[in-house]
C-alpha cells in the first residue's frame, strides 16, 4: 500500500501549497499531471484489466500485413477496436497503455484549467476514489470517460454539435456511457432540493417496475442498451452494504454543501450529476455495477467543484474532512481482497532498471478476478 499512500499524501501537500499561494499553481499542476501519467501509464502487471486487454491486443492482426476480417468486433466497442488496430501498427501493448493514460490525464488537466479548478487537488480526490478502478482497471471505459468529459466541457459552453460528437465517441468506446445522457438535460436547471427528492423517489419507483415486472427484457431492442441488458443478466443481485449506505449519505451531504455555494455552471453540473448518481444508488442499490460506472464521471465533477471552491474560500475544515474521507476510502479499497492485483504496485521502469521481482502479477490478477466473480456474477 505504501506506493499508493505516498502518492496520495504527496498530492495533498501539493494541493495545500497551491491553496495558499496560487502563483505556484501551474508548475504544481504540471508536476501532478506527470505523476498521473507515470503512475498509471508505466504500471506493470498491476490492476484489474491488463491480462484481458493485453491478450486482445496481441491477438489483433497487424492491419498493414494481415486482413482484419477475422476480428471478433463483438468483444469490445468499435472505436476501441479501431484504436487498438491502429496502435498495434506502431506500439506494443505497454506503450498503448501509456498513451491512453497520457490522453486521459491531458483531458482532465484541460477540463480543470478551463474551470479554474486546481488539477493537483482534483487528482488527489480522484486518485483516492476512482483512479485505481478507472485508469488501472478499465482501459476502454477510461477513454469513454475522457470523451464524455470533453462533451460536458462543451455542454457548459453551449456548443451542442461538439457535445453530440464527443458523446457519441464516448459511447463508441464504452456503451455504458449512454447512461450519462439525462445529465445533459438536467445540468442547465437551477438546483432545487424538492425537485431532486421527487426525481429520486419516482426513479426508484421506475426501477422497481422495470426489474420486477419484466420490462428489462425489452432493453435489447433499444440502440446502445444491449450491453446494459447484459449487465443485468450476468450481475449478481447484491445486498446493500454499510459502505454503500455511507456513500449515499456523503453524496447527500455534498448536495447540502452545494446549496451554500455561489451559483455557477459547474455547481449546477455537479449538483444534478450527484442527484443522478444518488438516483442509481437508491433505485439500483442491488446492481452496484451501474452506479459504479456513473460514479467514475461524477467524482470528477464533484472534485472539480470542491477544489475550485477551496481555492476561492480557503475553508480548510471542509478540505480536511474531504481528504480524511478520501484517505479512508483509499484504504478500504486496498484492504479489499479483490484488490490483490494492485498490491504490490509494480512499475515498468523500475522492473526493467533494477530487475525487481515483486511477485506473479498474472496469478494475483486471476485471484482478484475469482473474488470479483464470486461477489458479482450470477452462476
Amino acid at each position: 500500500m505504501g506506493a499508493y499512500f505516498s502518492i496520495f499524501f504527496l498530492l495533498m501537500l501539493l494541493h495545500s501549497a497551491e491553496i495558499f499561494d496560487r502563483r505556484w499553481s501551474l508548475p504544481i499542476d504540471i508536476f501532478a499531471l506527470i505523476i498521473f501519467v507515470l503512475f498509471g501509464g508505466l504500471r506493470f502487471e498491476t490492476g484489474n484489466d491488463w491480462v484481458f486487454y493485453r491478450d486482445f491486443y496481441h491477438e489483433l492482426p497487424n492491419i498493414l500485413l494481415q486482413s482484419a476480417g477475422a476480428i471478433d468486433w463483438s468483444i469490445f466497442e468499435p472505436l476501441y477496436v479501431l484504436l487498438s488496430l491502429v496502435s498495434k501498427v506502431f506500439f506494443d501493448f505497454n506503450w498503448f497503455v501509456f498513451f491512453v493514460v497520457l490522453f486521459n490525464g491531458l483531458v482532465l488537466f484541460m477540463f480543470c484549467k478551463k474551470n479554474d479548478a486546481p488539477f493537483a487537488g482534483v487528482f488527489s480526490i480522484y486518485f483516492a476514489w476512482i483512479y485505481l478502478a478507472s485508469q488501472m482497471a478499465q482501459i476502454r471505459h477510461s477513454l469513454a470517460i475522457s470523451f464524455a468529459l470533453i462533451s460536458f466541457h462543451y455542454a457548459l459552453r453551449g456548443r451542442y454539435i461538439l457535445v453530440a460528437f464527443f458523446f457519441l465517441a464516448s459511447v463508441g468506446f464504452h456503451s455504458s456511457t449512454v447512461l450519462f445522457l439525462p445529465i445533459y438535460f438536467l445540468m442547465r436547471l437551477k438546483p432545487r432540493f424538492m425537485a431532486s427528492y421527487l426525481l429520486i423517489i419516482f426513479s426508484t419507483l421506475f426501477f422497481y417496475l422495470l426489474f420486477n415486472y419484466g420490462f428489462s427484457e425489452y432493453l435489447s431492442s433499444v440502440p446502445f442498451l444491449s450491453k446494459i441488458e447484459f449487465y443485468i443478466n450476468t450481475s449478481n443481485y447484491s445486498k446493500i452494504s454499510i459502505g454503500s449506505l455511507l456513500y449515499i449519505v456523503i453524496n447527500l451531504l455534498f448536495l447540502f454543501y452545494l446549496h451554500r455555494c455561489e451559483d455557477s455552471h459547474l455547481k449546477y453540473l455537479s449538483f444534478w450529476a450527484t442527484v443522478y448518481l444518488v438516483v442509481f444508488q437508491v433505485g439500483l442499490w442491488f446492481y452496484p455495477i451501474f452506479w459504479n460506472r456513473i460514479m467514475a464521471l461524477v467524482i470528477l465533477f464533484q472534485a472539480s467543484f470542491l477544489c475550485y471552491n477551496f481555492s476561492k474560500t480557503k475553508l480548510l475544515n471542509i478540505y480536511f474532512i474531504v481528504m480524511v474521507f478520501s484517505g479512508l476510502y483509499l484504504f478500504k479499497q486496498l484492504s479489499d481482497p479483490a484488490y490483490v492485483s494492485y498490491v504490490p504496485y509494480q512499475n515498468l521502469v523500475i522492473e526493467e532498471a533494477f530487475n525487481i521481482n515483486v511477485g506473479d502479477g498474472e496469478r494475483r490478477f486471476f485471484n482478484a478476478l475469482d473474488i470479483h466473480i464470486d461477489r458479482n456474477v450470477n452462476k
Side-chain angles (χ1 to χ4, degrees), residues 76-115:
F76 294 131
E77 283 78 0
L79 288 186
Y80 178 78
V81 177
L82 285 173
L83 177 65
S84 300
L85 279 169
V86 174
S87 175
K88 187 170 182 179
V89 176
F90 304 100
F91 310 114
D92 66 13
F93 178 70
N94 290 326
W95 278 110
F96 173 69
V97 171
F98 177 83
F99 284 117
V100 167
V101 178
L102 175 63
F103 172 76
N104 294 336
L106 289 172
V107 169
L108 180 56
F109 184 86
M110 295 306 298
F111 182 85
C112 291
K113 288 303 171 187
K114 293 295 184 180
N115 291 284

Side-chain angles (χ1 to χ4, degrees), residues 148-220:
L149 203 59
I150 298 172
S151 179
F152 278 103
H153 163 75
Y154 287 116
L156 289 169
R157 289 152 183 82
R159 302 178 66 177
Y160 297 113
I161 293 177
L162 291 173
V163 170
F165 174 80
F166 285 106
F167 174 73
L168 290 175
S170 174
V171 176
F173 277 99
H174 202 290
S175 57
S176 68
T177 55
V178 74
L179 294 170
F180 302 150
L181 189 59
I183 302 176
Y184 290 94
F185 298 100
L186 293 169
M187 60 181 286
R188 290 291 180 180
L189 302 178
K190 189 171 183 178
R192 302 285 185 184
F193 279 100
M194 184 57 67
S196 64
Y197 294 148
L198 291 175
L199 180 61
I200 293 170
I201 293 170
F202 283 112
S203 298
T204 302
L205 178 62
F206 168 77
F207 287 133
Y208 176 81
L209 295 174
L210 181 68
F211 289 98
N212 287 278
Y213 289 92
F215 296 134
S216 59
E217 65 187 46
Y218 299 107
L219 289 175
S220 59

Side-chain angles (χ1 to χ4, degrees), residues 266-286:
L266 187 57
K267 172 186 171 179
Y268 290 8
L269 174 58
S270 301
F271 180 89
W272 287 112
T274 303
V275 169
Y276 188 63
L277 174 58
V278 173
V279 163
F280 276 79
Q281 286 181 294
V282 175
L284 282 180
W285 54 265
F286 43 87

Side-chain angles (χ1 to χ4, degrees), residues 108-145:
L108 180 56
F109 184 86
M110 295 306 298
F111 182 85
C112 291
K113 288 303 171 187
K114 293 295 184 180
N115 291 284
D116 203 22
F119 176 80
V122 173
F123 182 29
S124 64
I125 298 172
Y126 176 62
F127 183 83
W129 288 86
I130 205 69
Y131 183 87
L132 274 66
S134 183
Q135 300 303 324
M136 298 174 68
Q138 301 273 341
I139 291 179
R140 73 189 199 282
H141 191 251
S142 70
L143 286 166
I145 291 294

